[in-house]
Amino acid sequence: MADRNPGRPIVKKKEKKSENKTDKEKEKEKEEKVKGAKKPDKTAKKSEKSEEQPQTQEEKKKEGDGGAGAGEEAEGKMDGVEENGEFQPIDLPPFEIVTGEQMNPFYFKFQFRNVEYSSGRNKTFLCFRVETPGGSVEPLQGFMEDEHALAHAEEAFFQQVLPHYDPNQCYEVTWYVTSSPCAACAAKLADILRQRKKLRLTILCSRLFMWEEPEIGEGLKALVGVGCKLRMMKPTDFLKVWDTYVEKEEQIFAPWEDCQDNYVYYEEKLAEILK
């Protein structure tokens, strides 16, 4: 009996130990499961990093090769657009003044149309004729156009077409322009007419430029005050420009349906400005 009793506790202890080991194993399995669940995240992160690396290399390659010019261009834009929190003007290359005897018919039909709102018409076309009564010089005629040039077509005319002035000679200058002069050009033209006493200038306009602005009206008044004849183009004037200044070949031009109505509209606005 003495031998059997001590044997039983030993067996029980072994069973307990085996149970304890089983619990530990369970805990280890849980830990391994938790670790196993975390491992895919790490591999996923590694895969994401590995996918991002080629893109970064390509971007670096672009910046080193073809992207260098684009980077410099972007820096130039930032330097020109914004500096110290303030916007700075960008210096753009000026467009040249274009001169010629006859213009493309498309330009005439689009630029000279006397619509009320001149959307997209960012050029000034100026058809001119210079006569010197009693002089030996043949009449000059042609057209000029500008687009954000250093000098507007009105000012450029006296720089390129008629730069010299003979005080003993009379000049009769006629312009057909797509729009009336801006305030700055009107002031410069007024100064030229004050200096050149024997120069007579007649300006026929297809449209009025920003006629609602007070400084525009004052400039036109001052221009008329020094002897300039200013009026709007009639349908017959558009036909004359077509026949004289347009490279039309065999094309025929008929004034727009609203040409007469728009002429009356602008003529009334001009009368209100000059009264």
Side-chain angles (χ1 to χ4, degrees), residues 240-251:
K240 185 174 183 179
V241 172
W242 172 267
D243 291 336
T244 308
Y245 300 98
V246 177
E247 191 177 8
K248 53 190 174 299
E249 295 181 354
E250 297 181 357
Q251 298 183 45

Side-chain angles (χ1 to χ4, degrees), residues 66-224:
E72 292 176 0
E73 184 179 355
E75 290 179 359
K77 288 181 180 179
M78 289 301 294
D79 292 338
V81 174
E82 189 173 356
E83 184 179 351
N84 297 328
E86 296 180 358
F87 289 97
Q88 302 294 331
I90 300 175
D91 293 331
L92 297 175
F95 291 88
E96 293 182 356
I97 297 290
V98 180
T99 59
E101 293 183 0
Q102 291 184 322
M103 73 180 74
N104 187 294
F106 171 78
Y107 292 156
F108 167 77
K109 291 179 180 180
F110 179 74
Q111 297 290 347
F112 269 90
R113 186 164 184 174
N114 59 346
V115 291
E116 182 178 355
Y117 300 102
S118 56
S119 177
R121 294 167 173 84
N122 55 354
K123 294 183 179 182
T124 299
F125 278 75
L126 186 154
C127 300
F128 62 85
R129 181 175 177 83
V130 181
E131 296 179 297
T132 53
S136 58
V137 181
E138 293 292 329
L140 299 174
Q141 70 178 30
F143 80 97
M144 310 179 71
E145 64 172 290
D146 68 66
E147 184 179 10
H148 307 300
L150 290 175
H152 289 181
E154 296 92 336
E155 183 182 1
F157 171 84
F158 288 100
Q159 296 173 350
Q160 298 185 16
V161 179
L162 201 62
H164 305 292
Y165 172 73
D166 183 359
N168 299 318
Q169 178 65 57
C170 294
Y171 298 86
E172 294 183 0
V173 180
T174 304
W175 288 354
Y176 299 90
V177 294
T178 52
S179 63
S180 57
C182 65
C185 285
K188 292 177 181 179
L189 292 176
D191 290 339
I192 291 174
L193 293 179
R194 291 190 191 97
Q195 297 171 7
R196 304 185 178 187
K197 302 293 185 181
K198 291 189 176 183
L199 191 150
R200 301 289 180 264
L201 177 62
T202 302
I203 303 178
L204 295 90
C205 309
S206 172
R207 301 180 300 272
L208 289 176
F209 174 73
M210 298 180 66
W211 56 269
E212 294 178 342
E213 299 296 330
E215 61 269 19
I216 297 293
E218 294 299 324
L220 296 180
K221 283 183 180 180
L223 187 56
V224 173

